[in-house]
Amino acid sequence: MSEGTAGPWLVVGLGNPGPEYAGNRHNVGFMVADLLAERMGGRFKAHKARAQVVEGRIGPPGPMSRRVVVAKPSSYMNLSGGPVTALRDFYKVPVEQIVAIHDELDIDYGALRLKLGGGDNGHNGLKSMTKSMGAEYHRVRFGIGRPPGRMQVADFVLKDFSSAERKELDYFVDRAADAVEALVTEGLERAQSAYNS
């Protein structure tokens, strides 16, 4: 498919809207999306698909550069599928050019895993997306680790990162944004070999 006919990539940070959720572990997808928008030199604007979007390009100037729509659904996490499907239809994005950035309990804090397709592992944002459009989209899984002691998963993901975690958070978010750029410009295998940890 030549660059002229290729639709844009749709990169979706998953999270919950509103300031009370902004620093939560569950919102790390929004944090990565914010950094990507900043790198693209764009500002989020409201879209009729119930999302905030930035349109631009990712990658070095020239043939490696890709058109990208970075989005943050304005719905709660468990309803992410509706806005993402509406954006997919609006921008005419094939499902294999959709990337979801999300928190992942089964990976150590700060580690990344990139993959195409798969289950939702109990993640409500992925569950909603898969229900709306199938599972064959890319995922950038950002490790947040497991809750300590007997803390419930729901309480853990809706808490802010700890002060110890926050010391490294900017570095890990930066690395996740690099991984998204590598995935979009160089393909899954090269991005996996560079960033899967």
Side-chain angles (χ1 to χ4, degrees):
M1 194 185 295
S2 74
E3 179 59 1
T5 58
W9 281 72
L10 175 58
V11 175
V12 182
L14 294 180
N16 284 308
E20 68 272 34
Y21 298 105
N24 288 181
R25 292 182 177 93
H26 222 17
N27 271 41
V28 75
F30 276 14
M31 297 173 196
V32 177
D34 286 339
L35 180 57
L36 286 167
E38 193 180 304
R39 288 180 179 184
M40 288 160 55
R43 299 179 77 127
F44 282 99
K45 296 183 175 68
H47 191 279
K48 65 182 181 183
R50 298 194 328 276
Q52 300 283 321
V53 300
V54 173
E55 298 177 42
R57 297 189 84 82
I58 276 180
M64 293 289 284
S65 170
R66 297 284 178 267
R67 283 176 55 219
V68 176
V69 178
V70 176
K72 300 190 296 185
S74 304
S75 63
Y76 285 102
M77 177 74 86
N78 60 343
L79 300 172
S80 302
V84 176
T85 303
L87 289 169
R88 176 202 68 185
D89 295 346
F90 181 85
Y91 289 104
K92 300 179 173 50
V93 180
V95 75
E96 65 276 7
Q97 283 182 209
I98 296 174
V99 182
I101 311 162
H102 64 91
D103 56 305
E104 178 62 64
L105 289 159
D106 287 337
I107 304 174
D108 291 340
Y109 173 62
L112 294 174
R113 295 255 181 20
L114 284 68
K115 67 180 217 173
L116 175 63
D120 57 53
N121 209 13
H123 192 288
N124 289 332
L126 298 181
K127 201 175 288 183
S128 178
M129 283 181 62
T130 298
K131 190 175 170 195
S132 290
M133 60 188 190
E136 289 307 303
Y137 52 90
H138 287 89
R139 296 102 192 274
V140 174
R141 304 158 71 202
F142 187 112
I144 60 169
R146 282 258 157 212
R150 295 189 172 176
M151 185 189 282
Q152 294 294 313
V153 165
D155 295 334
F156 179 69
V157 299
L158 293 175
K159 280 205 167 26
D160 287 1
F161 286 100
S162 69
S163 54
E165 288 169 335
R166 279 200 299 273
K167 289 190 175 85
E168 296 180 293
L169 184 59
D170 287 348
Y171 168 76
F172 289 139
V173 166
D174 196 63
R175 193 164 177 274
D178 290 346
V180 171
E181 291 187 358
L183 169 61
V184 169
T185 58
E186 298 174 39
L188 180 61
E189 283 180 23
R190 289 186 69 172
Q192 283 174 324
S193 63
Y195 293 98
N196 274 13
S197 46

